[in-house]
Amino acid sequence: MVLSKIASESDVFVHSTFASRYVRTSLPRFKMAENSIPKEAAYQIINDELMLDGNPRLNLASFVTTWMEPECDKLMMASINKNYVDMDEYPVTTELQNRCVNIIAHLFNAPLEESESAVGVGTVGSSEAIMLAGLAFKRKWQNKRRAEGKPIDNPNIVTGANVQVCWEKFARYFEVELKEVKLKEGYYVMDPEKAVEMVDENTICVAAILGSTLNGEFEDVKRVNDLLVEKNKETGWDTPIHVDAASGGFIAPFLYPELEWDFRLPLVKSINVSGHKYGLVYAGIGWVIWRNKEDLPEELIFHINYLGADQPTFTLNFSKGSSQVIAQYYQLIRLGFEGYRNVMENCRENMIVLKEGLEKTERFNIVSKDEGVPLVAFSLRDNHRHDEFEISDLLRRFGWIVPAYTMPPDAQHVTVLRVVIREDFSRTLAERLVNDIQKVLHELDTLPSKLSSNVKAADEKDGQPAETRALESKKSDLEKTREITTIWRKFVTARKQKMNVVC
């Protein structure tokens, strides 16, 4: 007699995923399924769906590291199950974090004695680092005001309108007014003179950016420091500076060692940097360093002992993985000063290759600077028929992810494209990108204007000839640019909604 068995609905054995029922049934999206599925099927189905993501290496919108050496990948995988907060259980990992803090502090010229330890902490990214630095400034300001018998209910930070959104988050979450210096066409960073003019007795710090997200430009931190020194003397205030070096902190020491932006300036009290950007580590690691112990109020530090020995902690996140901390230490000792300098020089040279290739097309204005984060921000010289959003959209056909965006106030009428040059972006890729941009430009030259198409459609709907409508409403160049931008914003938003994209 032959015995047979019918597999149950929850049978976890599958001969072939693509021969199973699991590839013809919908995946759970909002509710957990009743039954389990085989691990092979779960892996294959999710892996296949992830193929629809963009290629991280071709994501030129991001500053975040997308390649590391295999040896570092192994270290990260070996420590992926370690919770960094368990310092007593993982003392070596804690020691590596402390080494990173000290190495970075010395890189930023912190005024430390021979045997003195630096004051700083590893964070999930620069957003958390900025939150911690901002809290330290706010608490120090509050303590000083209380001692003087003055109100503490209206703190503010002075910065440029080009700041990253994490500064707006800090201001909103922790009830601090953000006083922004407006930009203008041709000048896309904070004006030091205007910034210091906006400082008042309620200013907890001036935030300067070493590497603007918009065009990679370094703000003049030394000029801010010098102007603020004079103002503090005149007013009796002691307004400090924080440097948001998320992108530029691992660039300036290697490419521009003579540039004074760090703790060499007396009013710079804290600096944040993203290890997962030009620190060359995968996403999930940032650092914040304070000048002295006095710049980090003791009451912000918590001491816990329920995980073992007494552990001081100053973080917004409690549990977090150890992998990125270990990866940062690997990069610091693996590359050393020479290795980081070589990487940054390669990035700068490939940036110049891309910039010169775009200039040769004679179709673009370059709005980024040669000195700064190695990126190229550029805009069309003539965007009456087609605009930067169309170029960004068509480049996706070739696999490139190149963002197009409008500048903040008062330069919001300027639209730019931006290509970030990372460690893994070679000269070959730069030349290939220029070639693909030329193909896109040629295709756009053969297409009717997007604005004209929309106007014509609206005219036909209203029953009027396009020519008549055109004569009745002559628009300025600025109005046309804004209309094109609005049309493409709606188009991109509609596409994201269809794809269930969450920003």
Side-chain angles (χ1 to χ4, degrees), residues 349-361:
E349 290 181 13
N350 289 329
M351 176 265 291
I352 292 172
V353 169
L354 176 61
K355 175 191 168 188
E356 292 177 346
L358 293 172
E359 288 174 333
K360 286 179 182 177
T361 68

Side-chain angles (χ1 to χ4, degrees), residues 164-175:
Q164 215 263 0
V165 69
C166 58
W167 282 99
E168 297 178 33
K169 288 183 178 180
F170 169 78
R172 190 178 303 177
Y173 294 167
F174 296 101
E175 299 181 325

